[in-house]
Amino acid sequence: MTIDRRSFVKAGVAASLAAGLARTARAEAGYAPRPGAWRTFRMRTLVEIARPEGKVQAWVPLPAVNEVDWARVIANEWTTGAKASRLRDPKYGAEMLHVEWADGDPNPAVEIISTVAVRDRYVDLGRPGAAAPLSEADRTLYTGATALVPTDGIVKQTSDSITASAKTDLEKARAIYEWIVDNTFRDPKTRGCGIGDIAAMLKSNNLGGKCADLNALYVGLARAAGLPARDVYGIRVGASKFGYKSLGANSETVTKAQHCRAEVYLTGYGWLPVDPADVRKVVLEEPPANLALLNPKVISARRGLFGSWEGNWIAYNFAHDIGLPGAKGPVVDFLMYPQAETAAGRLDSLEPDAFKYVITASELNS
Amino acid sequence: MKTHSGQADVIVTMIQRLTPRAKVGRLFSRVCKAWRLFGFAIASMTAATAELRASELQVWTGGDRPAFVLPDLNGADIALRSRLGSMVLVHFFATWCEPCRDELPALRRLVARSADAGVTVLAVSVAEVDERVRRFFETMPVNFPILLDRDRAVAKAWEVNTLPTTFVLDRTLKPRLVAEGEFSWNGITAEAMMRALARSQSDPQRPKSSAEGAIGNSGSTTR
């Protein structure tokens, strides 16, 4: 078959229009994840310590969340010339690869390939099911305080105020979600994903931040209301299928695409996916940017991100205050970035180019 | 300004001696008087600015804070108690915090112009990796120690909720004043802060907290 230039251009324009219309249609359909086919992603984390000095070691988070409905870790495999140990945190089940290089190794490097299957989540809030009850141990863990997520003082006072008129756990969970969306903002100047020092945020009345701040605030306020809740630290690995550029990884390189979400446990419904921080991300970043809360894209994301989220993201763990075995430096508030130390001290995990590490991801069955 | 005025006096006197009734002498005399008044006005404004800035510091009512020992960027341990006898500004900051980046040069200038008054600054980097802080100060040298609160234990113990936060401690190392959030240290003087400290001590609202191990007592450190 031969195609002349005019026909080729016409076909190209038609294809572009069709793609544009499809995107528009998806955007109009809004953010509506529903469990469907599983998507399998292969993520490669390459750590190459840029300036080795003395004893060099690294602690790299491994995807370790396995949930029947939405996350299956198929494999975590690594290649390195150093001593490598897969470690599991006994409290939260977080996993990391601890790599120790021989002193004087001129090129300390490790490559980790993680293969993970994920799918969209959706909980029908109109129909409570028969979700498995939470164990007492998990209820205690996920209603307890962490170093940066206290559940007393100003956190408790704020939570009480937000949930004063809520009668059920679902109403409480929703009231806190709406409060976060209405009262916080995404601060683009926040380093990395933020810190999550929620008492400081409330005391200073500076409610700007990113996911580790805003969703930690959700978790803390929910726990203070007696609802089990947890941060889910992970990384975006694929584009959003719902037309939201701001809610996906838009290139194969995802070195800076870490993102934490949140869950709240409701009897009958089980763990409910929530992500108020991503609503604020849509407000700030979704083209043309700085959208109003009444913008249809914001309304749709706001409706969707209480009870559903998209399977274009891989979860690492639920952990707070993680000690790094053998480290000289302090515990980390959460384990979402590769960590490393040399004789010069802890490296800056938020400066991947200087560190250095690169993370790439691709979908295997796309 | 005194120098300028003094020089002008000498010049006027010399001119008057040379040409006591000359019009040019009278004119110059008037110009010099105006200059003296201008100088006085500028000096008064500068002093007023310093007083105003000092008065903008909040009186600290949170009681004593625990003493600390923290490593500096060179690896030496620095004890707050070693500054006993000086007016100390304990400045909590982070290199990623924009207002902090503006305040550090202002604090450097404050230390430079207050060296004789015994004012010292201890800048505490909160929860940052050493390497980042080290790189930052390579391009912005300061004349005070940079301490590393790697696990934010001191910031938590001092109940720091926002960065930057600066506590002004009297010579016994009791916190008396505080600036929570950004603060303009330009124009403030040691003398104006001393007067603000004195006013804070006479504040009847001030609680008399003196926990064991806190600054001003002979307790232990947090590290």
Side-chain angles (χ1 to χ4, degrees):
Chain A
M1 186 174 75
T2 58
I3 301 177
D4 63 36
R5 186 176 176 279
R6 187 181 296 258
S7 302
F8 183 79
V9 170
K10 276 184 183 173
V13 169
S16 299
L17 278 172
L21 286 171
R23 273 198 300 275
T24 307
R26 281 199 300 273
E28 283 173 356
Y31 188 83
R34 294 292 182 274
W38 288 80
R39 302 171 71 183
T40 304
F41 291 92
R42 200 177 84 131
M43 180 169 67
R44 175 177 181 259
T45 304
L46 178 63
V47 177
E48 295 172 302
I49 305 298
R51 285 186 291 177
E53 196 179 328
K55 182 174 176 59
V56 178
Q57 40 183 347
W59 300 263
V60 187
L62 301 174
V65 172
N66 282 287
E67 297 287 326
V68 172
D69 292 333
W70 61 274
R72 290 182 203 148
V73 179
I74 297 167
N76 282 304
E77 301 162 305
W78 52 90
T79 308
T80 180
K83 177 188 171 193
S85 319
R86 181 178 185 159
L87 305 177
R88 186 175 175 86
D89 160 65
K91 187 171 181 182
Y92 295 96
E95 292 189 12
M96 66 185 90
L97 189 70
H98 180 205
V99 190
E100 299 171 88
W101 286 274
D103 286 8
D105 187 331
N107 299 301
V110 59
E111 180 191 50
I112 301 169
I113 305 289
S114 300
T115 309
V116 181
V118 289
R119 67 172 181 167
D120 290 3
R121 294 181 73 186
Y122 170 70
V123 174
D124 186 347
L125 295 170
R127 285 195 293 181
L134 199 61
S135 70
E136 273 311 303
D138 277 354
R139 183 171 289 276
T140 302
L141 179 61
Y142 294 121
T143 51
T146 72
L148 292 182
V149 182
T151 53
D152 57 1
I154 194 168
V155 179
K156 175 68 175 157
Q157 291 160 20
T158 308
S159 179
D160 287 350
S161 163
I162 295 167
T163 60
S165 59
K167 292 182 177 60
T168 65
D169 284 355
L170 175 57
E171 287 176 5
K172 288 180 187 174
R174 187 186 286 281
I176 295 167
Y177 175 85
E178 303 296 354
W179 187 90
I180 297 277
V181 174
D182 285 333
N183 291 280
T184 68
F185 64 96
R186 180 176 172 87
D187 183 350
K189 292 175 182 168
T190 299
R191 281 198 90 212
C193 291
I195 297 167
D197 190 347
I198 67 167
M201 290 171 71
L202 293 171
K203 284 179 188 169
S204 66
N205 200 29
N206 179 0
L207 299 181
K210 288 186 182 167
C211 61
D213 300 309
L214 308 190
N215 284 342
L217 187 55
Y218 181 85
V219 167
L221 293 169
R223 289 184 182 187
L227 305 175
R230 58 191 182 186
D231 290 289
V232 196
Y233 296 97
I235 186 165
R236 300 184 205 269
V237 288
S240 171
K241 293 183 292 186
F242 299 104
Y244 284 82
K245 189 179 178 190
S246 59
L247 298 186
N250 298 302
S251 85
E252 203 168 270
T253 300
V254 294
T255 304
K256 295 183 178 179
Q258 290 84 2
H259 175 58
C260 57
R261 291 172 164 175
E263 291 183 310
V264 59
Y265 184 86
L266 300 175
T267 302
Y269 299 96
W271 284 109
L272 189 76
V274 295
D275 196 342
D278 257 1
V279 182
R280 296 307 316 193
K281 191 167 194 282
V282 169
V283 169
L284 180 72
E285 295 179 7
E286 192 62 28
N290 296 311
L291 305 184
L293 283 177
L294 291 178
N295 182 290
K297 284 199 118 182
V298 177
I299 290 172
S300 177
R302 182 175 189 158
R303 189 169 53 231
L305 286 165
F306 185 77
S308 69
W309 71 36
E310 190 176 357
N312 60 342
W313 164 92
I314 288 175
Y316 284 120
N317 57 62
F318 310 107
H320 288 258
D321 310 327
I322 291 291
L324 304 176
K328 287 183 183 168
V331 301
V332 291
D333 301 320
F334 47 82
L335 185 62
M336 190 163 56
Y337 318 105
Q339 303 286 340
E341 286 184 357
T342 70
R346 181 74 53 88
L347 303 185
D348 189 349
S349 58
L350 298 181
E351 295 281 356
D353 293 343
F355 189 108
K356 145 184 188 184
Y357 65 86
V358 177
I359 307 174
T360 54
S362 56
E363 189 167 357
L364 295 182
N365 51 353
S366 61
Chain B
M1 291 306 160
K2 280 183 179 174
T3 304
H4 290 167
S5 302
Q7 287 170 346
D9 287 339
V10 172
I11 294 167
V12 169
T13 307
M14 286 173 62
I15 290 171
Q16 284 173 340
R17 278 180 187 166
L18 290 170
T19 55
R21 291 188 178 83
K23 286 183 180 176
V24 63
R26 284 200 296 275
L27 182 62
F28 191 72
S29 175
R30 284 175 191 154
V31 169
C32 289
K33 280 179 186 171
W35 177 248
R36 278 200 297 270
L37 284 171
F38 177 70
F40 179 74
I42 293 293
S44 300
M45 283 170 60
T46 305
T49 301
E51 292 298 329
L52 181 65
R53 289 271 181 277
S55 70
E56 287 168 353
L57 290 161
Q58 303 293 307
V59 174
W60 174 248
T61 57
D64 296 332
R65 299 290 93 181
F68 59 77
V69 180
L70 284 172
D72 71 5
L73 271 179
N74 302 315
D77 281 348
I78 305 287
L80 172 59
R81 203 175 294 282
S82 68
R83 267 42 179 186
L84 200 64
S86 299
M87 182 201 291
V88 182
L89 275 63
V90 179
H91 177 72
F92 291 91
F93 77 101
T95 58
W96 48 261
C97 147
E98 253 182 74
C100 305
R101 290 201 293 263
D102 294 337
E103 280 191 34
L104 289 163
L107 286 169
R108 181 184 61 208
R109 292 190 292 273
L110 171 63
V111 169
R113 67 176 176 267
S114 311
D116 297 340
V119 174
T120 180
V121 170
L122 293 177
V124 181
S125 159
V126 180
E128 296 193 278
V129 297
D130 303 11
E131 183 59 21
R132 178 179 169 84
V133 184
R134 193 172 291 115
R135 279 206 313 270
F136 178 84
F137 284 101
E138 280 171 4
T139 57
M140 186 194 281
V142 290
N143 49 6
F144 45 80
I146 304 300
L147 310 185
L148 301 164
D149 185 19
R150 297 176 179 124
D151 59 0
R152 67 168 75 80
V154 174
K156 281 289 172 193
W158 283 56
E159 296 180 40
V160 172
N161 297 312
T162 190
L163 296 177
T165 289
T166 311
F167 293 86
V168 182
L169 279 53
D170 66 17
R171 295 184 190 283
T172 69
L173 302 182
K174 283 181 178 294
R176 297 291 185 192
L177 304 168
V178 67
E180 289 186 285
E182 56 190 300
F183 187 82
S184 174
W185 299 99
N186 294 317
I188 204 165
T189 61
E191 294 76 16
M193 279 196 291
M194 300 276 189
R195 283 189 284 277
L197 280 178
R199 284 196 297 274
S200 76
Q201 282 173 286
S202 61
D203 183 350
Q205 297 298 314
R206 185 176 161 70
K208 291 181 180 175
S209 166
S210 187
E212 189 180 349
I215 296 165
N217 293 331
S218 56
S220 60
T221 64
T222 57
R223 291 186 73 248

